[in-house]
Amino acid sequence: MAVYTDIAEDDLKWFLTEYDAGSLLSYKGIAEGVENSNFLLHTSKEPLILTLYEKRVEKSDLPFFLGLMQHLAARGLSCPLPLPRRDGALLGSLSGRPAALISFLEGMWLRKPEAKHCREVGRALAQMHVAGAGFELKRPNALSLDGWRTLWEKSEARADEVEPGLQDEIRSELDFLAAAWPKGLPAGVIHADLFPDNVFFLGDQLSGLIDFYFACNDLLAYDVSICLNAWCFEKDGAYNITKGTAMLEGYQSVRPLSSEEIAALPVLSRGSALRFFLTRLYDWLTTPEGAMVTKKDPLEYLRKLRFHRQVVSPAEYGLSL
Ligand SMILES: Nc1ncnc2c1ncn2[C@@H]1O[C@H](COP(=O)(O)OP(=O)(O)O)[C@@H](O)[C@H]1O
Ligand SMILES: N[C@@H](CCOP(=O)(O)O)C(=O)O
């Protein structure tokens, strides 16, 4: 699920009077998602998504996220567009939460993506990186090296409950990454969470990207590594080089990677695997039993991290060097 906050119909109707959105016909909570509460609204005009921003989203970051969607959409990327209120603001308040209305994107996410879809995702990621240039707001990545350590310190004492030996393994991984993290690679606005559930398709055609609520400024190739982790491993834990090749070819058809970015892929992929391992581990240990949210398995990302640790050449990801 992701409906943490309920809304009363009268409050919603009042909220909508601030927008030129037509009158409310129906609304329902959307079960998918993890971070925020989302509702699908049907109005006498177009369908809309209402998002109430929850715990992990800093209110001060919302202008970055909403402004970025405007910036990318204006440059031709298919992504939701925030609807401005009558007073021009993009953000309102509902049920005690910051709230926004965004356009409804047609399509659905793929439960079993194939190599041809990975190619499309690679292309769309590169298009986003190119389109993000010139976006004037900045948001440093809160979930990079320092953020990982802070998150780890909150889980460390109980980590061996999840798998014996984790404490030592993750401590030395953090030390390795702190020493080996690449510097000076091309940076810009990254999506930072472009998982299958955040990419919509209509048939085999990619129809758009959603969920920009981890977007930030960081290394562009780090975003590529996030996608390799999220799209190119099979359920049994094996890396699928056909998918990796397709994704990297799709990306490079729009934005070729430099030799430095290619050489850094194994380290970046270790970092991105660790990042999702750490947020999942924290949620695993802190989400109360019976909470209406599906906890994601941290060990899936530990296995990916171990794969990247034994990579000797970036060619193993499917790059022709
Ligand atoms: N603009 C949109 N158009 C259509 N559906 C959307 C849109 N935004 C969100 N959704 C629906 O809401 C779900 C959760 O959205 P998401 O932004 O991923 O939430 P969270 O940030 O809580 O993870 C998506 O899987 C999708 O079904
Ligand atoms: N993609 C993350 C969790 C964030 O979920 P989302 O619903 O906001 O995409 C993970 O898989 O750990």
Side-chain angles (χ1 to χ4, degrees):
M1 82 130 205
V3 178
Y4 299 96
T5 305
D6 273 333
I7 45 177
E9 188 176 338
D10 284 347
D11 292 346
L12 177 55
K13 283 184 171 157
W14 179 251
F15 175 82
L16 286 179
T17 61
E18 306 281 354
Y19 294 84
D20 182 20
S23 54
L24 183 66
L25 300 177
S26 69
Y27 70 102
K28 64 175 180 197
I30 298 176
E32 287 174 320
V34 171
E35 300 293 332
N36 300 309
S37 298
N38 288 295
F39 298 83
L40 173 60
L41 270 50
H42 286 286
T43 72
S44 52
K45 292 193 165 175
E46 72 224 305
L48 291 165
I49 296 289
L50 165 70
T51 302
L52 305 192
Y53 298 98
E54 303 285 349
K55 53 175 184 167
R56 258 204 300 237
V57 177
E58 290 286 339
K59 193 171 176 201
S60 57
D61 284 334
L62 290 171
F64 179 93
F65 302 139
L66 297 170
L68 177 62
M69 287 189 249
Q70 281 186 316
H71 178 94
L72 295 174
R75 279 153 189 80
L77 194 88
S78 177
C79 69
L81 193 59
L83 193 74
R85 289 163 25 128
R86 292 184 200 283
D87 64 5
L90 297 181
L91 201 61
S93 173
L94 182 58
S95 298
R97 294 273 171 207
L101 286 176
I102 59 173
S103 57
F104 178 83
L105 216 63
E106 295 290 348
M108 56 183 266
W109 68 271
L110 300 174
R111 273 62 181 173
K112 290 187 180 164
E114 299 168 27
K116 61 186 172 192
H117 306 118
C118 295
R119 184 180 303 275
E120 292 307 302
V121 173
R123 204 192 321 263
L125 182 72
Q127 283 164 349
M128 187 207 139
H129 290 169
V130 172
F135 180 52
E136 71 283 7
L137 299 184
K138 296 275 179 275
R139 178 175 183 265
N141 190 355
L143 284 174
S144 192
L145 289 163
D146 291 346
W148 301 340
R149 216 172 260 286
T150 310
L151 204 51
W152 169 241
E153 282 160 8
K154 292 182 186 161
S155 306
E156 187 174 9
R158 294 183 54 204
D160 282 13
E161 288 172 28
V162 177
E163 187 175 296
L166 262 184
Q167 284 197 351
D168 288 343
E169 183 173 350
I170 301 302
R171 266 187 221 132
S172 60
E173 187 66 26
L174 280 165
D175 290 344
F176 166 80
L177 289 171
W181 200 244
K183 293 190 177 66
L185 297 182
V189 181
I190 68 166
H191 184 286
D193 189 28
L194 200 60
F195 277 53
D197 60 344
N198 291 329
V199 181
F200 284 2
F201 282 83
L202 282 168
D204 287 333
Q205 187 98 35
L206 193 154
S207 60
L209 313 182
I210 65 163
D211 199 357
F212 288 81
Y213 302 117
F214 285 109
C216 56
N217 295 90
D218 206 338
L219 305 179
L220 301 180
Y222 176 63
D223 223 9
V224 176
S225 80
I226 290 175
C227 286
L228 290 174
N229 272 319
W231 290 82
C232 303
F233 283 84
E234 297 305 320
K235 290 249 179 306
D236 64 2
Y239 181 73
N240 184 325
I241 195 165
T242 310
K243 290 182 177 175
T245 303
M247 174 164 289
L248 292 162
E249 281 178 2
Y251 185 90
Q252 297 205 84
S253 69
V254 177
R255 180 185 171 267
L257 294 162
S258 68
S259 52
E260 290 80 10
E261 287 178 298
I262 289 173
L265 269 184
V267 174
L268 294 170
S269 302
R270 281 171 75 161
S272 56
L274 181 72
R275 173 260 182 262
F276 288 98
F277 167 77
L278 287 171
T279 45
R280 288 178 174 206
L281 178 68
Y282 178 79
D283 290 348
W284 194 264
L285 294 172
T286 56
T287 306
E289 285 308 319
M292 294 279 287
V293 64
T294 311
K295 291 199 276 187
K296 300 195 174 190
D297 181 10
L299 296 181
E300 179 192 339
Y301 271 79
L302 184 68
R303 288 189 286 272
K304 292 176 181 179
L305 171 55
R306 287 174 181 160
F307 167 84
H308 298 301
R309 221 183 260 143
Q310 50 77 49
V311 163
V312 284
S313 158
E316 289 176 54
Y317 294 116
L319 283 157
S320 38
L321 300 178

